[in-house]
Structures are given as C-alpha cells and as structure tokens.
Amino acid sequence: MSPLAIGSLAFCFVFGAACLGMLLHSRLPDGHLSGDSRDAIKLATAIIGTLSALALGLLIASSKRSLDDANIELRTWSARVVLLDRVMAHYGPETKEMRGELRTLVQERLRQITGGYNSPIPVADGLDVEEIQDGLRNLTPGSNAQRWLQTRALQLSGEIAEAHWLRPETESEEFPSLFVAFLVVWLALLFGSFGLLTPRNATVVFTLFICSLSITGALALIIDMDHPYLGFIRVSEGPLVAAIDRLGKP
C-alpha cells in the first residue's frame, strides 16, 4: 500500500472519529459532559497525545535515518562503479564488453529509482554484478600489473554486489504496519475527544478537518521518506547520472 493510500485511510479514521465525537456531543446526557467528566477526558487524552507525539518522533527519526543511509549508499555505490570501470579500462580491451554491462547496470538502477512505485523493486542488479565478476575471473593476466588490476576489480565488484544485498530493507515497500495502526487509533481517539468536548459548528468542523488533514498528511510523508528508492521523497539520482557520464571513457 502506498503512503498516499495509508494517509487517506488514516484521514478517514481520524476525521471520522472527530465527526462521531461531535455527533455524540449533542446526544449524550448533560451529566456525561460535566466539569468533572471533561477533566477526566482531558487527562486521558493528554496521555494519548503524549504517546502519539513520541510515536511520530520515532517514525520521523527512523525515516530520516533511512533516507540518509540510502543517500550514502548510493554515492558509495556510484563511486565504486566508476572506480571499477577505470580499473577495467586500465586492464585492457579485454574488458570492453564487461564495461558495457556495467554501464547498462547503472542505467537500469537509475530507471528503477526514477520510476518510484511504478517501477519493480530492484532485485536483479546483484546478479548482473556477479556476471561481471565471472568475466573478471575468466581473464588471463599477461603481466603483474594486469594481475593486480584483476584482483582490484574483483574486490570492487564484490563490494558492489555486497552493497546490493545490504539494501533490500530500504527498497522494500514494507512498513511497520502494526505500529502505524496503533498510531492511527491513538489519533482517532484524540480527535474523537476533541469532537466530543467541542460544540458542533462550521468553525469547529473546519478546524478539525484541517488538523486531521495536516497530521495524516505528515504521516504519509513520513512513511514515504522511509522508502527513499520508491516514494516522492527519494534519494538524488545525481551520483548515478554523474557515474554514467564517466563510464566507458578511455
């Protein structure tokens, strides 16, 4: 489920709870909304509000860390790809085909990143790196320099392949759904109490509508940021574009 769909569903729950609270406000007996009752409701909702704020803070910190880690991974990956290309270029013309495969690999990853949720989750580029590794192993060095370059190229290709298997979490559409579900329930209870304790008029309805839209919109953005290779808030493709410009040069 995309962050926009989660945010829309959360908005329906939160604003729906606020509307339900306003409906109950006009139908409950007066004793249920006396001063003591209001104080008890406010005390309970203050605890829920604190829990919701802490949960949102944890989600923001986790999502920001995912985005930062993805940016670092992509810059490191791009730098290793360029360095691998230069090592193979120094080895000799025997690596021309493998350099072409490496360029195709980078172009494919760029397409997957810019495609976002409309593009399949990248899972096969690690296999492409392994094919390049197989080609490097089959080379027959004719000098000590070529032997060192072959060893260095195998080391770099191994690091690229390893990085591929270390990033499935940040490229997955999965999110801690149970945690988000609890957060939405807390927000619904909070806004339901707001509707219960306030009179029903256009100003209150509009205010609760805007607040519900704001907080569920923020939740959608937080979830989106946790998917740095898929969502609207994603890693910059600048390192890949720069890498493509440098690949294949003599």
Side-chain angles (χ1 to χ4, degrees):
M1 186 179 294
S2 68
L4 183 60
I6 295 175
S8 300
L9 189 61
F11 171 78
C12 293
F13 275 103
V14 173
F15 185 64
C19 293
L20 179 61
M22 287 186 289
L23 181 64
L24 291 176
H25 175 86
S26 60
R27 298 194 176 187
L28 287 176
D30 294 338
H32 287 265
L33 296 177
S34 62
D36 291 339
S37 298
R38 287 174 176 270
D39 290 341
I41 294 173
K42 290 178 181 179
L43 182 61
T45 54
I47 298 174
I48 296 177
T50 302
L51 289 174
S52 301
L54 290 173
L56 281 172
L58 290 173
L59 286 177
I60 292 173
S62 175
S63 299
K64 183 62 168 60
R65 185 174 61 252
S66 296
L67 182 62
D68 291 341
D69 290 346
N71 276 310
I72 294 173
E73 184 274 331
L74 187 62
R75 288 196 298 268
T76 304
W77 189 87
S78 301
R80 286 172 177 167
V81 166
V82 173
L83 184 56
L84 175 59
D85 179 75
R86 299 314 306 154
V87 170
M88 290 192 295
H90 284 90
Y91 185 93
E94 299 91 334
T95 61
K96 182 178 180 180
E97 182 178 351
M98 288 179 284
R99 294 179 69 194
E101 294 176 0
L102 188 63
R103 183 182 180 87
T104 302
L105 169 63
V106 179
Q107 291 173 335
E108 177 63 16
R109 186 170 186 193
L110 177 62
R111 183 193 66 80
Q112 290 168 335
I113 290 178
T114 55
Y117 283 100
N118 296 321
S119 178
I121 303 301
V123 295
D125 54 344
L127 301 177
D128 292 338
V129 173
E130 292 174 5
E131 292 177 2
I132 295 175
Q133 285 180 303
D134 291 339
L136 291 170
R137 293 188 188 98
N138 292 330
L139 292 175
T140 304
S143 64
N144 290 333
Q146 284 190 331
R147 189 172 295 107
W148 182 88
L149 289 170
Q150 181 190 34
T151 302
R152 179 59 174 157
L154 285 171
Q155 178 188 359
L156 288 169
S157 61
E159 292 173 351
I160 293 171
E162 180 183 3
H164 162 74
W165 298 113
L166 290 177
R167 69 174 189 267
E169 293 80 5
T170 54
E171 291 184 343
S172 172
E173 295 186 24
E174 295 298 324
F175 197 78
S177 54
L178 184 61
F179 189 76
V180 174
F182 270 105
L183 178 59
V184 172
V185 170
W186 293 340
L187 292 174
L189 290 173
L190 191 62
F191 276 76
S193 68
F194 293 160
L196 184 64
L197 298 178
T198 55
R200 186 169 58 180
N201 57 60
T203 302
V204 171
V205 173
F206 179 75
T207 301
L208 291 177
F209 175 84
I210 294 298
C211 291
S212 301
L213 185 63
S214 299
I215 196 165
T216 53
L219 179 61
L221 288 177
I222 292 170
I223 296 175
D224 183 80
M225 188 167 59
D226 196 64
H227 302 83
Y229 293 101
L230 300 173
F232 297 105
I233 304 175
R234 65 178 68 175
V235 294
S236 172
E237 63 269 17
L240 292 178
V241 174
I244 292 174
D245 291 339
R246 292 182 174 89
L247 293 178
K249 293 184 178 179

